[in-house]
Amino acid sequence: MVIPVRDVNPVRRTPYVTYALIAANFVVFLLTPGIAGSVAGQGDLSQLCHLQAFLEHYAAVPRELIHDQLPRLVPTGETGVGPHGAGCVVAPPDYHKSPPVSVFTAMFLHGGWLHLLGNMLFLLIFGNNVEDRLGHVRFTLFYLVCGYAAAYGFAFANATSGDPLIGASGAIAGVLGAYLVLYPRARVWVLVPFLIFLPLRLPAWMVLGSWFVLQAVYSSGGGVSSAGTVAYAAHVVGFVVGMALAWPLRPGTPPPPEPRGLLWGRQARPGW
């Protein structure tokens, strides 16, 4: 995968919603109980139990979304000692969880710094232009619709799963799909890992198209040993929904002021 750095596609207005979403994701991540120790691999049992209880409450769970099957016992965040040793205490939940609302809260939860920073980088680079084209209010609604579509699309494909679904990836995939439709010829500065990181300026259709192809391959089980903890199917659904929602706006979208061709090496540096 290439690493996007920035695009050559100026905006007419300040992307307040994009900035607010990025700030909110960072704040929620820093306030997530037990996340620091878990990410560092040094969390004690108490921190892990608090994190597990928090995710059980606020993460989206496919089984809950499709069948409305809420668990009778959930982690409380406390630790205890049972027949098999120390562990997290479980008890009937003292709260009412709404599965549809959990999709919203899950969009602001992340499992680690790499997960968070990767998502926010893509949102920062591509979200501003989509927000500029849609407007602040419509972009907010667009982001939420893509996030919900991605979560429920993944849930329908994994209806019996009890694993928590977290992250803004589905909504941001929708932003990428919209950008591909609206600005396919915009140039994107990327770093290509090949012995060293080579700077290249590539068209958006190449950068985002290859990203989507990889997500589609991974979601089908190709190229990976297992699906792991990444919801590739959610990325695919969010991307397609974003493309579909942006398609009616394509005819009136002015092209970015960028010449054709690829630049690399010394030729690439002056334009950074």
Side-chain angles (χ1 to χ4, degrees), residues 45-46 49 52 78-82 84-90:
L45 180 60
S46 176
C49 289
Q52 188 176 1
E78 303 297 326
T79 60
V81 179
H84 303 287
C88 300
V89 175
V90 295

Side-chain angles (χ1 to χ4, degrees), residues 18-190:
T18 298
Y19 293 157
L21 288 171
I22 293 173
N25 276 278
F26 272 101
V27 170
V28 171
F29 181 80
L30 294 174
L31 295 179
T32 300
I35 192 66
S38 175
V39 171
Q42 301 173 346
D44 57 23
L45 180 60
S46 176
Q47 289 178 316
L48 295 177
C49 289
H50 277 91
L51 177 59
Q52 188 176 1
F54 184 83
L55 294 179
E56 186 67 43
H57 189 176
Y58 294 105
V61 178
R63 183 170 56 204
E64 297 174 0
L65 296 179
I66 304 303
H67 303 295
D68 199 25
Q69 295 179 352
L70 300 177
R72 292 182 296 176
L73 298 175
V74 298
T76 64
E78 303 297 326
T79 60
V81 179
H84 303 287
C88 300
V89 175
V90 295
D94 59 358
Y95 55 82
H96 174 70
K97 181 179 182 180
S98 170
V101 174
S102 72
V103 175
F104 175 80
T105 56
M107 279 192 274
F108 295 90
L109 303 177
H110 291 82
W113 279 110
L114 186 61
H115 187 198
L116 173 68
L117 293 176
N119 277 344
M120 295 305 102
L121 176 64
F122 276 84
L123 179 58
L124 178 64
I125 294 173
F126 301 106
N128 59 347
N129 292 104
V130 178
E131 180 179 350
D132 187 51
R133 183 66 181 90
L134 296 179
H136 304 310
V137 175
R138 286 201 298 178
F139 177 73
T140 303
L141 296 175
F142 168 87
Y143 185 89
L144 294 175
V145 168
C146 290
Y148 268 82
Y152 273 95
F154 179 82
F156 275 112
N158 302 270
T160 61
S161 173
D163 296 330
L165 179 66
I166 60 173
S169 305
I172 295 173
V175 173
L176 303 185
Y179 194 101
L180 178 61
V181 167
L182 298 174
Y183 307 104
R185 297 183 179 179
R187 299 305 182 190
V188 181
W189 288 108
V190 299

